[in-house]
Amino acid sequence: QVQLVESGGGSVQAGGSLRLSCAASGYTYSSYCVGWFRQAPGKEREGVTALYTGLVGSTVYADSVKGRFTISQDNAKNTLYLQMNSLKPEDTAMYYCAADAQVAWWLLLQRRGYNYWGQGTQVTVSS
């Protein structure tokens, strides 16, 4: 059974940094596509970044976070990370990690591309 557990959320001031973690179990971690999504109150869940295992080291980022957020993974620990720097109030949201065995590249930042989700961790950025 695939399980994803996020941690690392919290409250920071604008300009600050946070690192989110997503511990994965129940599948061969290195063979899955993984990503981070976020959902603010009253808004749709949006893709933030994803790591595409179809091409080693291939990553995609939403324009809103390019240059500020970095996705990485530690295969030995079966853990996905999201380093978030220069945080803005508009980054405030519940952040989710997602995984699936095969995700078409055009779906990497689309909610419907993934079947497995964590429970989320809250990030709040104050101005």
Side-chain angles (χ1 to χ4, degrees), residues 27-47:
Y27 65 94
T28 304
Y29 182 73
S30 60
S31 67
Y32 268 50
C33 295
V34 289
W36 287 98
F37 288 71
R38 65 186 181 187
Q39 188 167 16
K43 295 188 176 181
E44 296 291 321
R45 190 170 299 187
E46 64 174 355

Side-chain angles (χ1 to χ4, degrees), residues 29-30 32 34 51 53 71-76 78-81:
Y29 182 73
S30 60
Y32 268 50
V34 289
L51 197 155
T53 55
I71 188 173
S72 63
Q73 63 180 11
D74 185 332
N75 289 338
N78 284 2
T79 301
L80 180 70
Y81 301 101

Side-chain angles (χ1 to χ4, degrees), residues 113-127:
Y114 299 83
N115 285 308
Y116 303 107
W117 294 84
Q119 83 290 346
T121 185
Q122 178 67 38
V123 172
T124 303
V125 185
S126 58
S127 57

Side-chain angles (χ1 to χ4, degrees), residues 50-61 71 73:
L51 197 155
Y52 182 48
T53 55
L55 291 173
V56 176
S58 178
T59 57
V60 293
Y61 292 91
I71 188 173
Q73 63 180 11

Side-chain angles (χ1 to χ4, degrees), residues 6-127:
E6 302 96 333
S7 61
S11 297
V12 295
Q13 290 191 327
S17 298
L18 280 174
R19 189 177 80 155
L20 306 183
S21 300
C22 174
S25 62
Y27 65 94
T28 304
Y29 182 73
S30 60
S31 67
Y32 268 50
C33 295
V34 289
W36 287 98
F37 288 71
R38 65 186 181 187
Q39 188 167 16
K43 295 188 176 181
E44 296 291 321
R45 190 170 299 187
E46 64 174 355
V48 175
T49 178
L51 197 155
Y52 182 48
T53 55
L55 291 173
V56 176
S58 178
T59 57
V60 293
Y61 292 91
D63 289 343
S64 59
V65 305
K66 280 181 181 177
R68 300 189 299 122
F69 290 12
T70 303
I71 188 173
S72 63
Q73 63 180 11
D74 185 332
N75 289 338
K77 295 182 179 180
N78 284 2
T79 301
L80 180 70
Y81 301 101
L82 180 64
Q83 179 66 45
M84 304 185 295
N85 299 327
S86 302
L87 283 161
K88 304 175 181 180
E90 51 264 43
D91 294 318
T92 295
M94 185 72 79
Y95 282 72
Y96 300 88
C97 64
D100 214 312
Q102 292 183 345
V103 181
W105 66 266
W106 61 89
L107 293 178
L108 284 172
L109 295 183
Q110 299 293 318
R111 182 174 184 173
R112 61 193 176 100
Y114 299 83
N115 285 308
Y116 303 107
W117 294 84
Q119 83 290 346
T121 185
Q122 178 67 38
V123 172
T124 303
V125 185
S126 58
S127 57

